[in-house]
Amino acid sequence: MPSAPTTSDHPINVLLLGSGGREHALGWKLKQSPRCGKLYFAPGNGGTDALGENVDLAFDPVNTKNVDAIDYFCRHHDVSLVVIGPEDPLCGGLADRLAKPGRWVFGPTANAARLEGDKAFSKELMRAAAIPTADAKSFKNHDAALAYAESRELPVVVKAAGLCKGKGVIVTDTAEEAVAAVNEIMGDGGSGGAFGDAGGTVVIEERLEGQEVSVLALVDGTNLFVLDPAQDHKQVGEGDTGPNTGGMGAYCPTPLLSDELRTEIEREVLVRTVDALRRDGVEFKGVLYAGLMLTAGGPKVLEFNTRFGDPECQPLMVRMKGDLLEAMIATCEGTLDAVDLSWDPRVCCCVVMCSGGYPGKYEKGQAITGIDAAETDPDVTVFHAGTTVKRGELVTAGGRVLNVCALGADLKEAQAKANAACAKIAFEGAFYRKDIGSRVM
Ligand code: AMP
Ligand code: GLY
């Protein structure tokens, strides 16, 4: 794509698509750039409008009208950078459809986002490129999947191949559980499964043991800029118990990766993936996120995402030194080799405050208090996720409500500060994990 026609001192108006803590954190960091002009969020949340303006542009990727509305908005508000936060619009081809001369779109094309949107495809790519990952087989046929699940002697993980908001993965202990998981995803006796079309193909893979790490990189088609590694906590309960969620907290950097291991992951996972796509004629531009298990046999890929992780993005933004806006433009332009981002040497711990009942049913509309009090500590930053403003009052509007981030000299201090900040914030039913980061302490 040709460069957007801006001189380097021209302010750049940005449209950020999404409504989570990830998008609030990206906006917060973009706003620090001297080149950042007006910042628009669509739809944004109860915190993002303090940084710019929330606008109502539904961005359903399958609805052409919405794409037209976004395009129209950008033309009429002189937006030259669009940042796409979540995976669904990327997999649906929004980046392809918004791209045009004079506009940068941060986020991969649909063909590149397939790495996240189709787990059978990404397994195939990893196998062909000798990228270390769990051994797996993909099935479109229900009976064949059942027969395979029944025949496994070691524990397996059963995954819907398509996008399921992080919920289409079932970790099993026994063959009976594996069979039940196949039926849940593919549907029992011919009826549709719990995840609809996303479960039309299942991936059944060996269950790996170890600690999980998220390694994210900016990729400009050729060059990679690897960000500091983070660890996410997906399970709802302390001590990693209970059902998986969208993420209960994350900290960064994690001490789990030595410099050697980071280099190995960059070379054997990230670079190989970008190269393998390129060999198939697909250029990857945006964020490539490898979710890895550190097994006794070395790091292995559990999944790829093609966007910033949520909540990993939040501690990354708090620690990032340098200009995110310039880095995003360089990602779009293919000039990442000239970008130099660095990191606050301190550790950041991000604790997610949730609505009572999450990830199951929960109430919305509960009044939120105490954010200002929490932020009196200069090392604390609170990002909003499921919040909105109703009649002038900040209220809950989702399961994951706030992302409370704190910097500390070490992880222990960062965790203690984040937990102390959470204790100052209140809404009916609020809960959070107090052990974010404890697995490595
Ligand atoms: P995914 O969305 O594929 O990353 O899977 C969600 C979660 O399921 C991961 O964060 C892991 O905790 C778990 N998981 C996925 N694949 C495996 C595997 N092969 N072995 C063990 N746990 C897994
Ligand atoms: N933190 C996991 C994800 O963003 O998918």
Side-chain angles (χ1 to χ4, degrees), residues 232 234 246 289 303 305 307 309-312:
D232 183 16
K234 291 204 172 82
Y289 161 152
E303 66 162 346
N305 295 320
R307 37 125 189 127
D310 189 341
E312 292 95 324

Side-chain angles (χ1 to χ4, degrees), residues 1 4-6 10-15 35 38 74-75 77-83 100 102-106 325 329 332:
M1 202 206 334
T6 49
H10 185 84
I12 292 169
N13 295 344
V14 182
L15 173 64
R35 265 179 101 189
K38 290 215 175 94
C74 292
R75 284 188 282 115
H77 293 82
D78 193 23
V79 167
S80 40
L81 172 64
V82 182
V83 178
K100 62 188 257 181
R103 181 187 297 158
W104 294 296
V105 180
F106 183 86
L325 182 64
I329 293 172
C332 299

Side-chain angles (χ1 to χ4, degrees), residues 90 106-109 111-116 217-224 270 273-275 277-278 281-289 304-307 331 336:
L90 292 167
F106 183 86
T109 59
N111 278 340
R114 215 177 150 202
L115 267 185
E116 172 164 6
L218 299 174
V219 183
D220 72 359
T222 313
N223 305 292
L224 284 87
L270 300 171
T273 302
V274 174
D275 287 349
L277 284 173
R278 195 186 312 105
V282 177
E283 185 179 53
F284 192 101
K285 285 187 173 192
V287 176
L288 178 58
Y289 161 152
F304 284 119
N305 295 320
T306 59
R307 37 125 189 127
T331 302
L336 261 183

Side-chain angles (χ1 to χ4, degrees), residues 219-252:
V219 183
D220 72 359
T222 313
N223 305 292
L224 284 87
F225 189 96
V226 183
L227 310 180
D228 266 3
Q231 189 174 43
D232 183 16
H233 294 59
K234 291 204 172 82
Q235 283 173 279
V236 72
E238 288 182 10
D240 295 323
T241 52
N244 270 349
T245 68
M248 295 296 292
Y251 68 91
C252 171

Side-chain angles (χ1 to χ4, degrees), residues 178-242:
V179 165
V182 169
N183 284 333
E184 182 179 343
I185 293 173
M186 298 193 101
D188 213 348
S191 61
F195 307 103
D197 288 349
T201 297
V202 290
V203 178
I204 302 180
E205 66 183 39
E206 66 173 320
R207 192 174 106 190
L208 301 174
E209 303 294 338
Q211 295 242 25
E212 284 180 51
V213 186
S214 306
V215 180
L216 285 69
L218 299 174
V219 183
D220 72 359
T222 313
N223 305 292
L224 284 87
F225 189 96
V226 183
L227 310 180
D228 266 3
Q231 189 174 43
D232 183 16
H233 294 59
K234 291 204 172 82
Q235 283 173 279
V236 72
E238 288 182 10
D240 295 323
T241 52

Side-chain angles (χ1 to χ4, degrees), residues 18-20 23-25 27 39 41 43-54 384 387:
S19 62
E23 287 75 24
H24 190 188
L39 197 48
F41 296 85
N45 59 39
T48 54
D49 56 352
L51 295 168
E53 190 184 329
N54 287 353
H384 292 228
T387 73

